[in-house]
Amino acid sequence: MLGKLLRRELLRHWRCRQDLINPLIFFLITVSLFPLAVTPDGAMLSRIGNGIIWVAALLAAMLSLESMYRDDFYDGTLELLMLQSGSPYSVVMAKIISHWLTTGLPLVIMSPLLAVMMQMEGDAIGALMLTLLIGTPVLSLIGSVGMGLTVGLRQGGVLLSLLVLPLYIPILIFGAGAVSRAAMGMDYSGQLAFMGAFLLGSISLVPFASVAAIKVSIR
Amino acid sequence: MLGKLLRRELLRHWRCRQDLINPLIFFLITVSLFPLAVTPDGAMLSRIGNGIIWVAALLAAMLSLESMYRDDFYDGTLELLMLQSGSPYSVVMAKIISHWLTTGLPLVIMSPLLAVMMQMEGDAIGALMLTLLIGTPVLSLIGSVGMGLTVGLRQGGVLLSLLVLPLYIPILIFGAGAVSRAAMGMDYSGQLAFMGAFLLGSISLVPFASVAAIKVSIR
Amino acid sequence: MSHVPVSNLQDDLILKVDKLGIRRSERWLFRELSFELFRGDIVQIVGHNGAGKTSLMRSLCGLLTHAEGDFEWTEINDLPCLPLYLGHLAAVKPELTVFENLKYHPIAGQFLGDEPIEDAIDQVRLGNYLDTPTRHLSAGQTRRVGLARLLLADTPCWILDEPFTSLDVEGCKWLEQQIEQFAEKGGCVLLTSHQPVHFEKKPQILEIKRPVEALC
Amino acid sequence: MSHVPVSNLQDDLILKVDKLGIRRSERWLFRELSFELFRGDIVQIVGHNGAGKTSLMRSLCGLLTHAEGDFEWTEINDLPCLPLYLGHLAAVKPELTVFENLKYHPIAGQFLGDEPIEDAIDQVRLGNYLDTPTRHLSAGQTRRVGLARLLLADTPCWILDEPFTSLDVEGCKWLEQQIEQFAEKGGCVLLTSHQPVHFEKKPQILEIKRPVEALC
Amino acid sequence: MNWQWFHRLSSPKWFYQISERWLPWVMGVSLVLMAAGIYQGLFNSVPDYQQGESVRIMYLHVPTAFASMMFYMVMAIAAAIGYIWRIKLAHMAAISAAPVGAAMTFLALFTGAFWGKPMWGTWWVWDARLTSELILLFLYLGFISLHQAFEDREVGDRAAGVLAMVGVVNIPIIHFSVEWWNTLHQGATISKFEKPSLDPSMLIALLLMIFAVILFCSAIMMYRMRNEVLSRENNKSWVKEVVLGKQIGKMK
Ligand code: HEM
Ligand SMILES: Nc1ncnc2c1ncn2[C@@H]1O[C@H](COP(=O)(O)OP(=O)(O)OP(=O)(O)O)[C@@H](O)[C@H]1O
Ligand SMILES: Nc1ncnc2c1ncn2[C@@H]1O[C@H](COP(=O)(O)OP(=O)(O)OP(=O)(O)O)[C@@H](O)[C@H]1O
Ligand SMILES: [Mg+2]
Ligand SMILES: [Mg+2]
């Protein structure tokens, strides 16, 4: 069941593959706004780069949440899937996994490029990729609850940010913290361990919250 | 005609007045992500604060563009307005003005609070408000063209950012630049003059481009 | 563009369509379609699902570009007079009340006073829902809000795409009457409907046929 | 929840509704509605616009909470068997082709093979559009994609909210036949329609009346 | 097991009647305590040896900060009870607690900022406590906005309930993670306020004010709950009696 549903999601994304690169481009543009707005000074940039890249990744992941349930809700497909699939859990999991595959993973792959633009060093770049790799699935997971809750609301978009961003904060703090420790040559395994625990915890709990959220929304 | 249309827009916003504070909250949260991700160090923050606030204002203005045409497009109201009002120009102007009144203006009013949180000083705060006051109408104007072009597209959201953010860059550079000059006690009237010229230019030209964009979208 | 009240029309001819052809995704829906609309006409466009009825209507309203041929709305003071088009979408804003939906949407180039609006709402039997946000209405009630515009518009032509959808039996009867009255007053109506319609005078039928060269 | 093929039903009773009452925005639509659905039944819900037909159907499918009373779907192996609901929304994804729309949406708890799907598409006369993205279809054609699900689902009950909307004359006839055949096979159908329906055996009528205490 | 008490506890009518009796007392006691606390704080306690008179902001700041966190827990627990056992009264409690908590959070931030200006020379620093309080405000606002965004109050209840349950997991994490985050960086922002061993007169004022504020918030919450009960049960006969009874009382 999960497999087929996942294929459906990926097929849909493939059909609008042009949209796939959009979060990436948003990520790229947002990050490159900062040197323009703040300062082009390299030393400064390399200090603030990790934080900026993490925040931009957060925003890109959040903005692309829209595509998770919104369309399906408005044309009645979400109802149909929840009623007819027999397994709401698989529906939600398929959505979360495909969201990560199409948004989180590309962000991880893209991040070294931006890190170089922000004058970051080798160690820090490695840490950045690693933390994003652990962190982005959490963003997709938590995001799916927020999106599930707001899918039926007009102008859900900005409300979504109000619900989701505060929940993203711990991941942001640990992710960005680990990178800046790495940049200073310190050990950051503590942060990684915490992020890992957070990931495991949310994989096991969050899908149920998402199912509950969607069930609330479709009635 | 314009007056009545504007009243319609404002009434709609008033009906979902809860949504009115959402861009503000997005602005507030986005700005406060940076100290968490980058550094809590006051001296550092006051140097990068102006850039961050400007970027956040840009993003908040952009995200709230959605509400401009999207709903009206999907329920057929936009078609009706363009065909039946007899003056597409007024339709577009009403949308732009109400967008600025409900998004740009609150951002301007809110900005000193964030500036204080970013440890900025009195002069810089004044400059920030002034530049935002001149800059945010431009954001609404340019945004309306981008939104007009993408309104008919699924997942227009991210595509929108791709179209609109690059056009926002000049305003960002001059706006943030003026503030950092003010922070250093320098004269920033050159930047202001440029922004003013930009504003006048876009007020006189952009609405026509928006009308054209919407005409393309509804057919 | 201008919006011309019915009474101002001098000519009897309202619309002249000349060898119109529409193509969607490289396939011709129809070609060489010619017809004329006069005052007092009721024309029903018929054709199976996907024949191109909606496409024809939308292109007459300027909401779709046609591939060949031409059409012309009669002109008054050099300005073509535009029809009132009600399509599949009701153009009703969910967050506004029934009253506000009619009050703040321009119809035929102008905003209307409170009284005619309240009358129209009574006529479509939504009197009790005057101040209900339209998102609280049922499918049929929402359509009725859209139809109330017909009573308020002062244009020489109505273009109605499946206007009977979701209306209950009584509502259909009411709409049929309205259409007849409008035609008697000298307007003309172009409509589609898959369900049988009952007018006193049989409406003219315009059938949309697939052109010979289109094979599928 | 489980999805039970028609043939597995032992009992004749499929749905039992007991004194159901639904309230929307503090107003009772109906109260004390009781009826039963047996195998082979075709029940048409009638009522004017806004009577509460859609609300009743959605709450039977678990898509709306009812205010009082209760209903029960017959159980097989302790699991209630759920109906197939086709509502005002077609549940058709515009970016997928007609074929993919049926292939990748589970119906009655399972995904289907290619052949039955192609057959169903032929039956709803969309054979030529197998690989057309559904956003390129007309209103009636889109509804047909949704209706193809009826042919593929193996559930004991269909709940159809205005299924004839947008269908052309031929399409309506076809759908009426399908409904009759399904009832003969032992399924039961609950439907609404404002336009007249023609079945060999007259359908049962369930009228929704406003409760006395609701005044407006 | 006898669940009678549970059902009784969850009956809005029962709550309405019992709160009618309790509300004046809770409100009264809180006002008395507050008056005493204000007197003690403003006139009867010593100024701080370091901070001088500005220390008196503490008597408002600390109680509101405490109440802000306490009412989040109250709200989340009530929401969870309401969601799991489908108890309407619990949802009403959660909905009524949220604005109270949000107001307290706002007051804590506001008084803190006012205190910060003379003490630290700045309105705001990105210190762990301050930041987590700010995030708490966002969580409250999210809860309130989400609930209001739904048409149907009962659907809104359940949606906001899900959010509160997810959010509560986050509270300790935010609290500790922010602390950890702060110590990671250079120590420019270590809290500039060393907790002084309080003078007894200050301690009394502080305790009085803490209790007063908690009782006051509870009274407001109860008051909001009573309104909520009336507006949600407005078609029940007992509500009609209550409302009509009051009107008759007025007419007399
Ligand atoms: C905007 C700025 C501020 C915020 C958001 C804030 C927030 C808080 C919070 C959340 C608490 C915890 C209450 C509890 O654990 O029960 C607290 C306690 C406290 N705050 Fe503030 N505060 C701010 C500024 C200040 C300033 C400027 C001072 C004094 C220099 C101060 C002094 C205290 C004291 C003495 C406590 C009690 C600590 C204890 O007993 O554990 N705060 N504040
Ligand atoms: N979301 C909603 N919130 C509040 N009230 C609603 C909502 N949707 C519908 N209603 C009200 O409930 C009543 C019944 O609506 P419903 O959609 O069930 O009617 P219906 O019988 O299907 O009508 P139709 O024939 O027009 O489709 C209507 O009077 C409507 O005003
Ligand atoms: N956006 C589109 N892009 C490409 N082709 C389209 C598009 N919309 C419709 N078509 C095609 O144009 C043809 C005519 O569509 P149209 O909507 O005009 O039909 P119709 O006569 O109104 O049918 P119905 O009775 O179903 O409403 C259909 O065959 C459809 O496949
Ligand atoms: Mg059509
Ligand atoms: Mg209905």
Side-chain angles (χ1 to χ4, degrees), chain D residues 76-111:
Chain D
I76 292 191
N77 310 333
D78 292 335
L79 291 169
C81 56
L82 282 184
L84 182 70
Y85 168 66
L86 293 186
H88 287 303
L89 298 170
V92 170
K93 290 242 69 79
E95 66 267 33
L96 299 185
T97 67
V98 174
F99 178 75
E100 289 161 354
N101 254 295
L102 298 171
K103 176 82 185 165
Y104 292 108
H105 283 174
I107 301 166
Q110 58 193 14
F111 290 92

Side-chain angles (χ1 to χ4, degrees), chain E residues 61-62 65-66 69 109 112-113 115-116 119-120 124 130 133 193:
Chain E
H61 173 72
V62 177
F66 184 76
M69 304 204 290
L109 283 169
W115 201 358
M119 287 300 96
W120 307 334
W124 183 263
L130 277 59
E133 189 75 358
F193 179 77

Side-chain angles (χ1 to χ4, degrees), chain E residues 43-58:
Chain E
F43 305 111
N44 211 9
S45 63
V46 293
D48 191 73
Y49 70 104
Q50 271 181 327
Q51 310 185 1
E53 298 294 337
S54 66
V55 76
R56 302 192 194 279
I57 300 178
M58 173 171 78

Side-chain angles (χ1 to χ4, degrees), chain D:
Chain D
M1 49 177 112
S2 88
H3 293 275
V4 191
V6 185
S7 44
N8 285 10
L9 282 178
Q10 263 113 41
D11 210 359
D12 251 9
L13 182 72
I14 290 182
L15 170 69
K16 189 178 157 65
V17 177
D18 191 24
K19 299 200 176 159
L20 198 71
I22 293 185
R23 203 168 44 194
R24 302 289 311 243
S25 5
E26 317 291 313
R27 216 159 42 79
W28 287 101
L29 295 180
F30 53 81
R31 300 187 75 162
E32 311 253 323
L33 184 76
S34 304
F35 66 95
E36 286 172 348
L37 273 187
F38 294 96
R39 303 184 56 173
D41 279 355
I42 302 180
V43 177
Q44 184 180 0
I45 309 179
V46 299
H48 59 87
N49 284 146
K53 302 177 291 300
T54 303
S55 307
L56 171 62
M57 291 186 155
R58 288 182 71 86
S59 78
L60 292 179
C61 296
L63 291 172
L64 191 73
T65 32
H66 51 278
E68 63 171 28
D70 225 333
F71 60 85
E72 211 179 341
W73 291 96
T74 192
E75 292 185 357
I76 292 191
N77 310 333
D78 292 335
L79 291 169
C81 56
L82 282 184
L84 182 70
Y85 168 66
L86 293 186
H88 287 303
L89 298 170
V92 170
K93 290 242 69 79
E95 66 267 33
L96 299 185
T97 67
V98 174
F99 178 75
E100 289 161 354
N101 254 295
L102 298 171
K103 176 82 185 165
Y104 292 108
H105 283 174
I107 301 166
Q110 58 193 14
F111 290 92
L112 292 146
D114 291 1
E115 262 180 49
I117 292 179
E118 279 166 15
D119 277 358
I121 293 176
D122 271 343
Q123 275 212 43
V124 293
R125 290 203 289 119
L126 288 176
N128 287 325
Y129 295 86
L130 209 66
D131 292 326
T132 313
T134 50
R135 65 167 175 270
H136 287 176
L137 298 183
S138 76
Q141 290 168 330
T142 312
R143 300 267 333 161
R144 283 158 186 268
V145 179
L147 291 173
R149 298 217 172 91
L150 297 180
L151 302 174
L152 297 169
D154 196 7
T155 42
C157 180
W158 292 350
I159 295 195
L160 308 176
D161 196 359
E162 305 193 27
F164 299 102
T165 306
S166 300
L167 289 188
D168 56 19
V169 183
E170 213 177 324
C172 291
K173 225 174 256 158
W174 174 84
L175 181 57
E176 283 160 3
Q177 274 172 16
Q178 292 304 316
I179 292 176
E180 277 183 325
Q181 282 174 18
F182 180 63
E184 269 162 32
K185 275 196 318 195
C188 71
V189 180
L190 197 65
L191 75 138
T192 65
S193 170
H194 290 299
Q195 58 193 87
V197 286
H198 311 281
F199 295 118
E200 304 235 316
K201 211 181 85 189
K202 266 221 152 182
Q204 299 168 43
I205 300 287
L206 177 75
E207 199 175 342
I208 294 193
K209 280 190 239 89
R210 177 85 13 118
V212 205
E213 68 265 36
L215 283 175
C216 79

Side-chain angles (χ1 to χ4, degrees), chain B residues 4 108 135 174:
Chain B
K4 284 255 184 173
V108 176
F174 284 97

Side-chain angles (χ1 to χ4, degrees), chain B residues 18 35-36 41 45 116-117 119, chain E residues 122-124 126 131 145 181:
Chain B
Q18 205 254 317
L36 296 175
D41 168 18
L45 281 181
V116 169
M117 288 175 71
Q119 318 283 343
Chain E
T122 168
W123 302 97
W124 183 263
W126 290 92
T131 309
S145 308
W181 150 74

